Amino acid sequence: MSHARTRTRWRLALTATTLLAASFLVPPPVNAAPANATSVGTAAGDVTDYAITVDPTSTGATIDDTMYGVFFEDINRAADGGLYAELVQNRSFEYSTADNGSYTPLTSWATTGTAATADDDGRLNARNRTYLALGADSSVTNSGYNSGISVEEGKTYDFSVWARTDGSSALTVTLQDADGELAQARRITARGGWAKYTARLTGTRTSAAGRLTVASGSPAALDMISLVPRDTYKGHGLREDLARKIAALDPAFVRFPGGCLVNTGSMKGYDEESGWERRRAYQWKDTIGPVEQRATNANFWGYNQSYGLGYYEYFQFSEDIGAMPLPVVPALVTGCGQNQAVDDDALLKRHIQDTLDLIEFANGPVTSEWGKKRARMGHPKPFRLTHLAVGNEENLPNEYFERFKQFRAAIDEKYPDITVVSNSGPDDSGSTFDTAWKLNREANVDMVDEHYYNSPQWFLQNNDRYDSYDRNGPKVFLGEYASQGNAFKNALSEAAFMTGLERNADVVKLASYAPLLANEDYVQWRPDLIWFNNHASWNSANYEVQKLFMRNVGDRVVPSRATGTPSVSGPITGAVGLSTWATSAAYDEVRVTGADGRELLADDFSGDASQWTHTGGGSWSVQDGQYVQSDEAAENTMVSAGDPAWHDYDVHVKATKKAGKEGFLVAFGVKDTGNYYWWNLGGWNNTQSAVEQAVDGGKSTLISKAGSIGTGRAYDIDIKVRGRQVTLLLDGQEWGSFTDDKPAEPFRQVVTKDQKTGDLIVKVVNAQAADARTAVDLGSAKVRARASATTLAAAPDAVNTETDTAVAPVTSTFSGVARKFTYTFPANSVTFLRIKKG
């Protein structure tokens, strides 16, 4: 997830499921097949819409076996309440307002009798600060996650609690829902100082609304109240269905633990010196050893993370699914909107040493300090760590790179075989991206991590993104990417883009969709690959595309080419608009003039604002001859005026920031609430400006520069639209220009070869509403007549849910393969043909 983590990412999180726009606006080919066309061979002389020509005699890029993987970040309750199988929420009473303003140590607990949390010297240990003091004949009940604790009839659940009593106390453990008992009650006798007590409960009924209660006959101190299913993935404490879905992808690597968890908050430790700082960056040493001794932390995404799922478990899970572990460590430059360089040399050296210790923990012999700790946790054999990333989406490239170089030097000196991964910031382009890539190239970095979340149209337009990358420069790790939605049209656009990743496999060495998991009741970010609640999980349409590519990668690209889709692009058309984001601003002197000099709109707000339609949030009113948006918290407050058919015009606006975090949003080419361009001045917490294009709600950045907007001064903003060329002026000086004429090609393909089987794998994406009859020329390849065809085809708006799998693969046999044959690729489809060697 996922999902960039600057304000752009927050905007996307607020956007509803988006549409595929451009690909469905492209006119179908002149000879488009009827909607009911089937995927069968036809005579070579038949008219076709497309042609794919394969050259099996040429050698394409080698595809590394690490090409596709997954990225796990604790967002959307992906860990606690998700992959980590613990069923009790807030099991150690460590929830705090530092995690979430609504939290208390008793969040998700209900008590009867006398019960209070305590933070004193009677605690379980120094790193587990809070415990529950339960009076005689009192109880405490946990409500779990979602609708409650999920229990299955006949399944076994392991209960445990740490307890301390002055004498002895009888503890009664019950599991029930509103209809009664879900498991036979258990009695435990606790005596003396802190000790761990266990019991086994067996479900007598199935329910997703269970409640776990611990009652005490005498005063007792309780901590670490836990209930875990006996059946977890390979017995390693992870939720079975979620782990199996991840494993079913057959990912080559697991990137973890973040994400914004890595580069936000304090870089200090969880100790007395820091005042037991809760808002910390994820630091691996906090997450190993006995769970009751692991530190707690405030999660960047607004909740608590227990670290029950920690570095050892990440390494173990990677091994269990046959994937390469790829951890990310802090670089001591914060990001995700915080954007500060930590200037503390001693702290930097400590983190560098922590990173060296991490490599020893993963790979060191049992005789080493950290290898011994790994062995004591149950894994004497090394985890075979080969790649490690320093930092995540840092928006201060120079400061980041100064620190990165120190990490890399220390790692290279002690562990020269480790590939150290850098990054290029939070976006796919712009000044941060350009500066970061320049520094990476100059320093001959091995691999650079790119992240971007863009509209489906962007993914259709940028299939060629890596065609022009330097073949001798740093390799690319596409660590986070997704289009903005979980409908099939989003998955189609990602599939089209992935054909370009494979074609450029000599540059792009690793790629992972993000985020991976989302609990439907705790969503901070969307889209997501796998959705779940407390009792069920389901695959998104995007998951099905990722699985199809991951399980059919091939070892080498076979050069091929395809004809394109004819399309005609007219001029940029649309009305104009004004908006703000977490900012109060005043607008005046709005003028729109046609290219012929004719006045289309003029408003100095000396009267009312009747020409404007308010479609966003916020509070607009005419004040002292200006149009003012006064709500400093409101996001996307759009008002618009004019004719959606306008084209070739000049826009002038005078804008003044009154208060708030950002600057102005001046829109043009406004068709409706989801389709427009806007010049975002002072965005991203007033750090940069950009032109963004929204297509059916999903945004992409077309041009961006660093810069900020001052409060209280008036700016003259001018936008000139001519055809598809746009020029932007700020205070009379040209700020930038762009031409939006890149085609969103809906027909994409790539061909790879499986060296082991000899199969040619022809991968075709047809992201349009018409079937595509295609002439396929395999050149001199010797092939069998029968091929396996796996197809994902669905309505563009189809979304998989808990109860409806609208997007699922269908595999059939196609018997018409020859050196030259015709195949009809269904409308809105992804098709993989595995063609056997003859």
Coordinates of all heavy atoms in Angstrom, one line a residue, residues 129 195 267 290 433 435 465 636 781 830:
R129 N 4.0 -2.0 29.2 CA 3.9 -1.0 30.3 C 2.6 -1.1 31.1 O 2.5 -0.7 32.2 CB 4.0 0.4 29.7 CG 5.2 0.7 28.8 CD 6.5 0.7 29.6 NE 6.5 1.8 30.5 CZ 7.4 2.0 31.4 NH1 8.4 1.1 31.6 NH2 7.4 3.0 32.2
A195 N 3.1 -15.2 35.8 CA 3.3 -16.5 35.1 C 2.3 -16.6 34.0 O 1.3 -16.0 34.0 CB 3.2 -17.6 36.1
M267 N 13.0 8.2 15.4 CA 14.0 7.2 15.1 C 14.6 6.7 16.4 O 15.5 5.8 16.3 CB 15.0 7.7 14.1 CG 14.5 8.1 12.8 SD 13.8 6.8 11.8 CE 12.9 7.6 10.5
P290 N 10.4 -13.1 22.7 CA 9.1 -13.4 23.2 C 8.1 -12.3 23.0 O 8.4 -11.1 23.2 CB 9.4 -13.7 24.7 CG 10.8 -14.0 24.8 CD 11.5 -13.2 23.7
F433 N 11.9 13.0 -8.0 CA 12.2 11.8 -8.8 C 13.5 12.0 -9.7 O 14.4 11.2 -9.7 CB 11.0 11.4 -9.7 CG 11.2 10.3 -10.6 CD1 10.9 9.0 -10.2 CD2 11.6 10.4 -11.9 CE1 11.1 7.9 -11.0 CE2 11.8 9.3 -12.7 CZ 11.5 8.0 -12.3
T435 N 15.9 14.2 -9.3 CA 17.1 14.4 -8.5 C 17.6 13.1 -7.9 O 18.8 12.7 -7.9 CB 16.8 15.4 -7.3 OG1 16.4 16.6 -7.9 CG2 18.1 15.6 -6.5
R465 N 7.0 2.9 -20.6 CA 7.8 3.7 -19.6 C 9.2 3.3 -19.5 O 10.1 4.2 -19.5 CB 7.1 3.5 -18.2 CG 7.9 4.3 -17.1 CD 7.2 4.1 -15.7 NE 8.0 4.7 -14.7 CZ 8.0 6.0 -14.3 NH1 7.2 6.8 -15.0 NH2 8.8 6.4 -13.3
N636 N -10.9 18.9 -1.5 CA -11.6 19.0 -2.8 C -12.9 19.7 -2.8 O -14.0 19.0 -2.7 CB -11.7 17.6 -3.4 CG -12.1 17.6 -4.9 OD1 -12.2 18.7 -5.5 ND2 -12.3 16.5 -5.5
A781 N 8.7 -20.8 -35.5 CA 8.6 -21.6 -34.3 C 7.8 -22.9 -34.7 O 6.8 -22.9 -35.4 CB 7.8 -20.9 -33.2
V830 N -8.0 -10.5 -20.3 CA -6.6 -10.8 -20.3 C -6.5 -12.3 -20.7 O -7.2 -13.1 -20.1 CB -6.0 -10.6 -18.9 CG1 -4.5 -10.9 -18.9 CG2 -6.2 -9.2 -18.4

